[in-house]
Amino acid sequence: MTSTLGVKSPDAAAGGPRRLLGVAASAADHPAVFALALVATGAALLSPLWITRYLPAVDLPQHLFLVRVLGELREPGAFFGATYVARPGLTYLTFYYSVAALGRVVGVETAMRLCLSAVVLAYPLALWALASALRRSRWLALLAAPLAFTDNFYWGLVSFHTSVPLVLLSIAAFIRVLEEREPAGWGG
C-alpha cells in the first residue's frame, strides 16, 4: 500500500521492527513492548539532567544567571535593576521567560531542568510523529535519543536544541496535510 507521496506503509516494509531489533515480529509489534522501550529511552535521556549536581552544559550557568536577573528585575529595589534592563530579544525569549515563570514556583534551577527535560524528551516523540506520518516503523523514534545530547546541548545552544523537535513535528504535520488533500486540487 502506497500513500499519495509514494511512501510505503510499514506493513509493506520487509522485516519492519524485526530488522531493527532482531526480535520476533509478534513481540516487537506489541504496543506494550514499544511503550516499555520508549519509557526506558526517556529515563536514559533524563538521567544526565537529574542525577548530576551541575547541569551538563557549558553555557547553562550563564542562562541560569540571566533567568535569575529577569526574575528579579520586577522586584522593587532589585540589585540587578541598577545594571540591567530587560530587552526581550528573539534568541532566548521563549526559553528564558518560560524558565523564569516556572522558576517562581519551583526555583530557577529546577525550572531549567524541567524545561530541558521537555526538550530532550521531545526528540524521540517528534521523530515518532515523523515516522508515523511517513508510515515507517515507530521504532525509528528511539534512534533520535542520541541527538538529544550533541554539541548543541553541550555548548548550551538551547534555542537551536529546542527548534529541532519543532522542525520534525512541522514536517510531520506538513506531510499529513499533503496527504489529506487531493492531488487534483493542487492544479487549480
Side-chain angles (χ1 to χ4, degrees):
M1 178 154 95
T2 305
S3 72
T4 56
L5 294 175
V7 178
K8 292 182 180 178
S9 71
D11 299 329
R18 283 180 292 199
R19 235 176 347 148
L20 286 174
L21 301 176
V23 296
S26 60
D29 289 336
H30 197 280
V33 174
F34 177 71
L36 183 63
L38 194 61
V39 167
T41 300
L45 286 172
L46 293 177
S47 62
L49 298 175
W50 291 96
I51 64 172
T52 59
R53 168 64 187 107
Y54 300 105
L55 290 166
V58 173
D59 279 355
L60 290 183
Q62 287 84 355
H63 293 310
L64 281 171
F65 171 73
L66 291 173
V67 168
R68 180 177 171 220
V69 169
L70 280 175
E72 291 184 13
L73 282 178
R74 295 182 180 184
E75 297 176 11
F79 173 75
F80 298 116
T83 307
Y84 297 99
V85 175
R87 290 188 321 192
L90 295 177
T91 307
Y92 286 98
L93 178 70
T94 307
F95 182 71
Y96 284 165
Y97 284 96
S98 299
V99 173
L102 190 56
R104 289 187 201 108
V105 179
V106 295
V108 175
E109 191 170 341
T110 302
M112 177 82 72
R113 290 176 194 270
L114 287 170
C115 287
L116 290 174
S117 296
V119 170
V120 298
L121 289 176
Y123 272 77
L125 297 177
L127 191 57
W128 183 10
L130 182 58
S132 173
L134 292 171
R135 292 186 174 85
R136 296 292 184 224
S137 173
R138 63 181 175 236
W139 290 94
L140 293 171
L142 302 181
L143 296 176
L147 298 175
F149 293 106
T150 61
D151 284 347
N152 294 308
F153 181 87
Y154 174 73
W155 289 110
L157 303 174
V158 180
S159 292
F160 175 80
H161 201 58
T162 304
S163 72
V164 172
L166 295 176
V167 168
L168 295 174
L169 286 172
S170 297
I171 294 170
F174 185 67
I175 290 169
R176 297 277 187 195
V177 168
L178 286 178
E179 288 184 340
E180 288 176 7
R181 307 221 182 220
E182 293 189 27
W186 292 99

